[in-house]
């Protein structure tokens, strides 16, 4: 029996959806434990592409349970849309395979208005959020004013909580953010029917996971975002509002740390970032444009163009330490085919010092220059390759070097978006 956490080591969009879908084959259940519909996880199966924002990426396997843990913030309208979109495409989704924690917090219309209002007010200093109300929702959770699924399915509790908070929210929206306000009657009209649709899905997710663990079944925990978007360990304040690191799988799902057996760190073979914030290896040249185009680097949630740069192993090593990684999954290696030489950042030059560790202070990070190691590229298309020994020699060397610099074994190599485009070196389970 193994329970495995999959997390992003960089700034998100490393290919978590693809690898979780692949590994779900061996698991009994797949659990999301943080984030919300700021996430966009892509699965490509039989040439068809599916993007999930809230539903765990195990949903394409008919016999797996997909669980949304207490640590996730859920926009119920988006969740219902996602369920019916999948159903329209012939995927079975119902209370038999999709369960939501009664403790998960709800994203409310005023959270989205506040998110947009704040970003607008910040102007050039904005974070570049996804505008989905994620930060304001987690903020209410921390200040104990949130509304949870257990409240949604109890209409009296829902009305009472909404009415007690709305005055303050609307005062802030109108007077400070100069934004439109939220209407109580309209929210009730929208949200009470959501309760009826979602009620059969709402349960104690922690109990279900722990039952599965006791029965010796494998559980997969699916992280969203990436380590450097973590509210504590990321490039604060250019981060999301939850802990994205593996440790939060326990908190956000209701399971003890003694039940986790492995942590896979997702590493894109280069680096991307959506939204603002420091990015030492970012490329502002033709190579950056080429990677962006070849990798089709557009946000799966907002459609924004992703910023692109060379692989940064200071970042990956930082993630290896914080998450206690037991293995790496390297994705999008195929995108680098055709580049004459590749650069890997191994350390940073900060004034006269060579830094091996990722700096916490943003002012220091902003002045860091990457120190690169150059490796020869390869020209062949590698998407059909199934065995590490069949990779061009230079591609094999590039992957091997990632493992060495990250001080973590590479277990999976992804050479294309489909399930079949994968080389498994070591089964994580
Ligand atoms: P996630 O948020 O970590 O799940 O990643 P996204 O789905 O936002 O972005 C990853 C993108 O890369 C998606 O479009 C995937 O279909 C695609 N992808 C994943 N792995 C590979 C790969 O190895 N090669 C290529 N070319 N595309 C990949
Ligand atoms: P997945 O799970 C990439 C970024 C936003 C913004 C910052 C804060 O698909 O990897 P938020 O809306 O969370 O308050 O925005 O975080 N961000 C992501 N970037 N992938 C994601 O998710 C992201 N989720 C949030 O772009 O910079
Ligand atoms: Mg994504």
């Amino acid at each position: 029996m193994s329970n495995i956490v999959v997390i992003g080591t960089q700034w998100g969009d490393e290919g978590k959806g693809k690898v979780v879908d692949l590994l779900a084959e061996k698991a009994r259940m797949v659990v999301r434990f943080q984030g919300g519909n700021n996430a966009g996880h892509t699965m490509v199966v039989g040439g068809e592409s599916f993007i999930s924002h809230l539903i765990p990426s195990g949903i394409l396997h008919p016999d797996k349970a997909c669980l949304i843990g207490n640590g996730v913030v859920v926009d119920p309208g988006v969740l219902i849309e996602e369920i019916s979109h999948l159903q329209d495409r012939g995927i079975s989704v119902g209370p038999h395979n999709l369960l939501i924690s009664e403790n998960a917090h709800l994203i409310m219309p005023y959270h989205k208005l506040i998110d947009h209002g704040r970003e607008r007010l910040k102007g050039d200093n904005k974070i570049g959020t996804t505008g989905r109300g994620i930060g304001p929702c987690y903020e209410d959770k921390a200040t104990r004013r949130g509304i949870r699924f257990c409240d949604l399915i109890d209409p009296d509790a829902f009305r009472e909580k909404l009415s007690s908070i709305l005055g303050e929210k609307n005062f802030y929206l109108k007077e400070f953010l100069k934004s439109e306000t939220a209407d109580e009657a309209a929210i009730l009209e929208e949200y009470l029917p959501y309760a009826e649709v979602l009620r059969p899905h709402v349960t104690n997710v922690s109990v279900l996971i722990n039952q599965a663990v006791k029965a010796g079944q494998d559980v997969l925990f699916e992280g969203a975002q990436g380590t450097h978007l973590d509210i504590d360990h990321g490039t604060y304040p250019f981060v999301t509002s939850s802990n994205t690191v593996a440790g939060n799988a326990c908190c956000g799902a209701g399971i003890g740390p003694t039940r986790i057996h492995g942590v896979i760190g997702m590493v894109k073979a280069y680096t991307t970032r959506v939204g603002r914030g420091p990015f030492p290896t970012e490329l502002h040249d033709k190579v950056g444009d080429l990677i962006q185009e070849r990798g089709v680097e557009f946000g799966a949630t907002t459609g924004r163009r992703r910023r692109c740069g060379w692989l940064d192993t200071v970042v990956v090593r930082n993630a290896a330490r914080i998450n206690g990684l037991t293995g790496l999954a390297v994705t999008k290696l195929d995108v680098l085919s055709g580049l004459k030489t590749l650069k890997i950042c191994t350390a940073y030059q900060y004034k006269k010092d060579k830094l091996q560790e990722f700096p916490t202070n943003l002012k220091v990070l902003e002045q860091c220059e990457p120190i690169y190691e150059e490796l020869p590229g390869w020209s062949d298309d590698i998407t059909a390759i199934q065995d590490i020994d069949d990779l061009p020699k230079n591609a094999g060397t590039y992957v091997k070097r990632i493992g060495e610099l990250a001080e973590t074994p590479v277990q999976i190599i992804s050479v294309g978006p489909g399930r079949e485009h994968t080389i498994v070196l070591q089964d994580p389970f």
Side-chain angles (χ1 to χ4, degrees):
M1 182 205 45
S2 307
N3 303 315
I4 308 279
V5 185
V6 175
I7 53 93
T9 63
Q10 295 156 316
W11 280 281
D13 306 323
E14 297 90 349
K16 297 175 289 294
K18 163 173 171 163
V19 167
V20 168
D21 166 71
L22 183 88
L23 295 178
E25 179 69 50
K26 295 216 166 155
R28 168 69 198 110
M29 44 177 69
V30 183
V31 187
R32 272 282 303 271
F33 56 89
Q34 48 73 227
N37 61 313
N38 48 351
H41 295 181
T42 315
M43 300 155 272
V44 178
V45 178
E48 264 196 87
S49 173
F50 298 83
I51 298 177
S52 88
H53 301 287
L54 281 164
I55 297 179
S57 302
I59 199 69
L60 302 182
H61 300 265
D63 53 337
K64 310 293 172 183
C66 287
L67 276 53
I68 297 179
N70 57 278
V72 179
V73 289
V74 180
D75 186 327
V78 172
L79 180 60
I80 290 170
E81 246 176 59
E82 204 165 302
I83 294 171
S84 55
H85 182 70
L86 283 169
Q87 287 170 338
D88 289 348
R89 295 180 69 181
I91 310 299
S92 160
V93 188
H96 64 287
N97 67 346
L98 178 66
L99 286 316
I100 310 160
S101 165
E102 49 206 2
N103 289 350
H105 281 249
L106 292 170
I107 295 184
M108 302 296 293
Y110 47 81
H111 291 137
K112 290 179 262 189
L113 291 172
I114 292 172
D115 196 354
H116 284 288
R118 282 193 185 138
E119 286 284 273
R120 184 172 33 77
L121 216 65
K122 282 194 185 127
D124 287 347
N125 293 322
K126 68 179 180 187
I127 305 286
T129 71
T130 58
R132 304 299 194 258
I134 306 293
C137 184
Y138 276 117
E139 185 178 321
D140 278 353
K141 174 178 177 173
T143 50
R144 296 155 293 186
R145 297 178 299 178
I147 306 182
R148 301 184 291 173
F149 267 89
C150 51
D151 305 316
L152 179 71
I153 58 172
D154 173 354
D156 289 339
F158 184 76
R159 279 195 199 91
E160 198 183 307
K161 298 225 161 165
L162 179 64
S163 139
S164 75
I165 199 165
L166 209 57
E168 183 188 330
K169 294 292 172 197
N170 279 340
F171 179 81
Y172 179 68
L173 279 163
K174 182 162 176 255
E175 302 301 330
F176 187 75
L177 294 177
K178 311 285 180 220
S179 149
E180 70 174 281
T181 53
D183 180 64
E184 191 166 345
I187 296 179
L188 288 173
E189 199 181 325
E190 182 188 351
Y191 275 59
L192 291 178
Y194 290 159
E196 297 319 307
V197 180
L198 295 176
R199 180 175 283 111
H201 296 262
V202 179
T203 188
N204 187 329
V205 157
S206 163
V207 168
L208 292 183
I209 302 170
N210 282 281
Q211 276 170 353
V213 169
K214 259 194 190 157
Q217 294 168 332
D218 295 332
V219 181
L220 194 56
F221 295 87
E222 175 179 10
Q225 291 84 52
T227 301
H228 295 83
L229 287 170
D230 181 280
I231 186 138
D232 284 285
H233 302 286
T235 47
Y236 191 92
F238 298 101
V239 292
T240 191
S241 297
S242 66
N243 284 112
T244 62
V245 295
N248 196 28
C250 294
C251 231
I255 185 169
T258 49
R259 303 293 185 263
I260 305 290
H261 307 101
V263 182
I264 299 178
M266 299 292 313
V267 182
K268 201 179 271 188
Y270 45 94
T271 313
T272 63
R273 178 162 201 170
V274 207
R276 295 187 59 248
F279 178 176
T281 61
E282 182 169 13
L283 289 166
H284 298 280
D285 60 7
K286 278 189 185 150
V287 180
D289 291 344
L290 192 82
I291 292 175
Q292 196 275 333
E293 280 158 33
R294 287 232 197 112
V296 202
E297 294 294 352
F298 289 99
T301 296
T302 57
R304 288 178 289 179
R305 195 182 155 97
R306 293 174 182 152
R307 299 154 65 190
C308 295
W310 294 120
L311 180 68
D312 185 340
T313 58
V314 181
V315 160
V316 181
R317 241 185 351 257
N318 196 44
R321 186 188 69 254
I322 294 167
N323 295 287
L325 297 183
T326 52
L328 301 180
V330 176
T331 61
K332 304 194 93 160
L333 190 66
D334 54 304
V335 173
L336 299 179
S337 297
L339 291 172
K340 264 216 163 77
T341 52
L342 302 169
K343 289 185 184 179
I344 300 184
C345 169
T346 57
Y348 297 149
Q349 191 68 47
Y350 172 65
K351 297 183 177 169
K352 288 196 173 128
D353 297 328
K354 183 176 175 181
L355 306 185
Q356 299 289 345
E357 303 294 345
F358 191 75
T360 335
N361 185 335
L362 227 61
K363 281 191 183 149
V364 174
L365 183 61
E366 275 159 358
Q367 293 175 63
C368 282
E369 286 300 325
I371 299 173
Y372 286 116
E373 183 174 298
E374 274 198 21
L375 278 83
W378 59 93
S379 53
D380 330 30
D381 178 2
I382 59 172
T383 41
I385 290 178
Q386 297 283 307
D387 193 313
I388 177 114
D389 296 331
D390 296 334
L391 276 178
K393 186 173 145 278
N394 291 346
T397 307
Y398 185 75
V399 173
K400 189 163 161 260
R401 193 67 187 128
I402 297 174
E404 284 167 5
L405 289 163
E407 298 163 3
T408 312
V410 176
Q411 295 185 317
I412 294 170
I413 304 170
S414 173
V415 290
R419 262 185 204 164
E420 66 281 18
H421 303 133
T422 317
I423 304 170
V424 179
L425 306 178
Q426 203 186 334
D427 186 346
F429 281 104

